[in-house]
Amino acid sequence: MLSQLDYLEMDAVAQAEHVAAGAVTAEALTEAAIGVIGSLNSAVNAVLPQHRARAEPLSVSEAGNLAGVPVLIKDLLNYAGFETSYGSRLFAALRASQPPSPYAKALQAAGVQVVGKSTTSELGLVGTTEPLLSGPTRNPWDLARSPGGSSGGSAAAVASGMVPVAHASDGGGSIRGPASFCGVFGFKPSRGATLPADIPPSMPTASILSEHCISRSVRDSVEWLRATQSSAARALPPWKHLSHGVGRRLRIGYYAESAFGTQASAQALAGLDETVVLCRSLGHSVIEVRSPQFCAADTAKAFFGLSGFAVRLVMEMLRAQMGDAFPVDLLEPFTLELADRVRSWDLDDVVQAQDVLAASGRDIEKTITDVDMLLCPTVPDIAFPLRSFDPGKPAEILMDHIRHVASYTVSASLAGWPAMSVPLYWTAEGLPIGSHLAARQGEEEMLFRLAFDLEHAQGWSPRLLARQKELLWHNDSRKRCASAS
């Protein structure tokens, strides 16, 4: 029998290697994952309760590069054997289930064992994971704080040790922001680098959306991307080929001011300074550059408009199908407000807004002309307290928060660049802040090579593992106290 502590010691690659060698079974790993989820989920709330386990596991590939590894799927992606609620009471009531996409099929072919769905904000719209459907997801480093959004459930689950790697998605920073808040590795692939998922190309914001994962190690992220890469993308070598590092001197441009003209907190800037020093110690040329220049106000307006229009299309489709039975009041106030703000939009308005995003992406491209990659804080500050930006807050407050929390990450999304948040800094009170690195489109390999160098030089796994064991120990202590009383 595999103990929960032994389970915590292994990242996804190690688990797959143990399964391939016959040292442990996929069933034992799944049972251990379900046990850790059962122990911690009442405190962290990162996994939807109705999806915690299946009576009958799906048949999966035994030859895939992640065969036997327990994972979670973000509740925005359809996956065979699971309902999808999109973080919404409405879709939970409708018991949504759609055919799996090529992306989901690729994960099944990789051999992952899906043990549940991770929490997300409704339709991935809010920059925190506190949906009315399932309540607040809590940050494992401080349970009074948010893990961010919209991939907050995936980040919290990996940081707490429930699974070594979890599916996530990113439209402006929804992988990288939560990874920063939770002290784990978050990577966003280039535009078009992965197989199609559930979002059709015709969706208004499809051009900036990416599917990938949040992981405890760099190599887990490499192998996840290898499993889900598009055939049109440059093939990524196995992790062992990348783990030797960059092997040459990079020119890295760093900046402290966000694209919105705002400064990060002193804590985030301290993390940036440490990363600059670390990259220089690895032999790279690190120079200060100007932050990406584009019309941030017009871009934010276009982004929220396109998001609202996409919601409106979904609402109109459901009304056409259900008539008066359509339970619109099950949608959150912010979701309804976004749709209402564009009630007069037509297709010309959509095209104009998409043109704004495309123009901003072209402007951002100029920033990386003279360097190999760009470095900045991932987010402007440490994780924020829960209930600061829950779905009941006025729409303007929530939109201001989204603009603020994505003020560094959004540039890579608009330009279609690969980008990553690397957990290299912890504050005096023990809260993580990630460093954000982005490269030109198609340069995943170079980013991963640098990530391996950073991981080798200043590994975060011991700190993460210590926190996971501490959470598990506190939970066991509470159970013993409860039994004794």
Side-chain angles (χ1 to χ4, degrees):
M1 181 177 177
L2 182 71
S3 74
Q4 292 182 1
L5 289 178
D6 288 338
Y7 170 76
L8 293 180
E9 293 278 355
M10 294 184 284
D11 68 357
V13 168
Q15 291 182 7
E17 289 175 345
H18 277 69
V19 170
V24 69
T25 64
E27 291 76 14
L29 287 171
T30 298
E31 286 304 313
I34 292 172
V36 175
I37 292 170
S39 294
L40 299 182
N41 203 48
S42 59
V44 179
N45 193 32
V47 184
L48 290 175
Q50 64 267 37
H51 292 307
R52 264 189 225 164
R54 273 196 312 265
E56 296 276 337
L58 288 170
S59 60
V60 296
S61 168
E62 296 181 359
N65 62 332
L66 294 172
V69 177
V71 306
L72 295 169
I73 298 295
K74 184 178 177 180
D75 194 33
L76 296 182
L77 180 72
N78 289 298
Y79 200 88
F82 294 89
E83 295 170 2
T84 306
S85 63
Y86 305 98
S88 173
R89 298 172 299 172
L90 171 62
F91 290 98
L94 297 178
R95 304 179 69 84
S97 181
Q98 299 294 328
S101 62
Y103 190 92
K105 290 178 179 178
L107 287 176
Q108 188 172 351
V112 298
Q113 297 279 349
V114 178
V115 294
K117 283 289 190 80
S118 62
T119 55
T120 183
S121 54
E122 182 169 81
L123 303 178
L125 294 173
V126 183
T128 186
T129 306
E130 304 178 54
L132 297 181
L133 170 68
S134 55
T137 298
R138 301 175 185 87
N139 192 313
W141 296 96
D142 181 346
L143 296 176
R145 295 179 184 269
S146 171
S150 63
S151 301
S154 295
V158 172
S160 63
M162 295 180 185
V163 289
V165 61
H167 165 255
S169 56
D170 191 312
S174 290
I175 287 175
R176 294 158 287 157
S180 176
F181 289 138
C182 293
V184 286
F185 185 72
F187 193 96
K188 182 197 84 69
S190 297
R191 181 178 296 143
T194 59
L195 291 165
D198 296 332
I199 304 300
S202 58
M203 182 177 174
T205 54
S207 66
I208 63 172
L209 296 175
S210 295
E211 306 284 335
H212 191 48
C213 68
I214 289 174
S215 61
R216 61 180 290 175
S217 69
V218 175
R219 65 182 188 173
D220 287 359
S221 188
V222 170
E223 291 306 305
W224 188 286
L225 184 53
R226 276 171 34 79
T228 57
Q229 265 196 301
S230 164
S231 59
R234 185 187 307 167
L236 193 65
W239 72 267
K240 287 183 180 179
H241 292 270
L242 303 179
S243 63
H244 300 297
V246 177
R248 66 182 177 91
R249 182 179 173 89
L250 295 177
R251 186 173 170 85
I252 301 172
Y254 78 94
Y255 56 92
E257 185 178 86
S258 80
F260 288 77
T262 56
Q263 282 281 353
S265 69
Q267 293 165 312
L269 293 178
L272 175 63
D273 289 343
E274 281 209 4
T275 303
V276 168
V277 171
L278 178 58
C279 288
R280 284 175 176 160
S281 74
L282 294 173
H284 303 299
S285 171
V286 187
I287 58 171
E288 189 168 8
V289 297
R290 195 179 184 190
S291 61
Q293 301 296 302
F294 62 98
C295 187
D298 287 351
T299 300
K301 182 179 178 181
F303 171 79
F304 288 120
L306 291 171
S307 298
F309 191 81
V311 172
R312 203 186 92 188
L313 290 178
V314 172
M315 291 172 62
E316 289 175 355
M317 178 189 70
L318 291 173
R319 279 200 182 96
Q321 293 175 352
M322 304 177 68
D324 293 340
F326 173 46
V328 67
D329 57 329
L330 291 182
L331 288 170
E332 293 176 354
F334 180 64
T335 304
L336 294 171
E337 174 70 14
L338 281 183
D340 186 61
R341 288 182 176 220
V342 294
R343 61 186 178 277
S344 63
W345 273 33
D346 58 22
L347 289 180
D348 286 339
D349 295 301
V350 172
V351 171
Q352 289 177 15
Q354 289 176 322
D355 287 344
V356 169
L357 297 189
S360 295
R362 290 192 294 272
D363 288 339
I364 292 165
E365 283 281 357
K366 301 171 186 175
T367 314
I368 207 167
T369 303
D370 298 323
V371 295
D372 294 305
M373 60 180 67
L374 293 170
L375 166 66
C376 64
T378 304
V379 288
D381 209 344
I382 57 174
F384 48 89
L386 288 168
R387 292 176 288 279
S388 300
F389 306 103
D390 63 72
K393 294 290 189 296
E396 288 299 336
I397 289 177
L398 296 182
M399 287 191 286
D400 283 345
H401 169 65
I402 294 167
R403 281 189 287 262
H404 176 70
V405 80
S407 58
Y408 289 97
T409 54
V410 70
S411 297
S413 296
L414 293 168
W417 294 339
M420 61 187 181
S421 179
V422 189
L424 297 173
Y425 182 77
W426 269 257
T427 67
E429 60 263 66
L431 294 175
I433 297 179
S435 291
H436 188 267
L437 287 138
R440 293 179 183 84
Q441 195 163 1
E443 291 288 357
E444 278 83 355
E445 180 173 334
M446 182 171 63
L447 273 179
F448 276 130
R449 286 184 181 277
L450 179 60
F452 274 115
D453 283 341
L454 295 170
E455 187 179 34
H456 294 155
Q458 194 166 312
W460 51 87
S461 287
R463 188 189 292 263
L464 190 61
L465 182 60
R467 180 55 181 159
Q468 292 169 350
K469 289 180 177 179
E470 183 182 17
L471 285 169
L472 205 58
W473 183 85
H474 279 303
N475 176 75
D476 289 343
S477 296
R478 284 193 299 269
K479 284 186 176 179
R480 286 194 295 270
C481 289
S483 299
S485 61

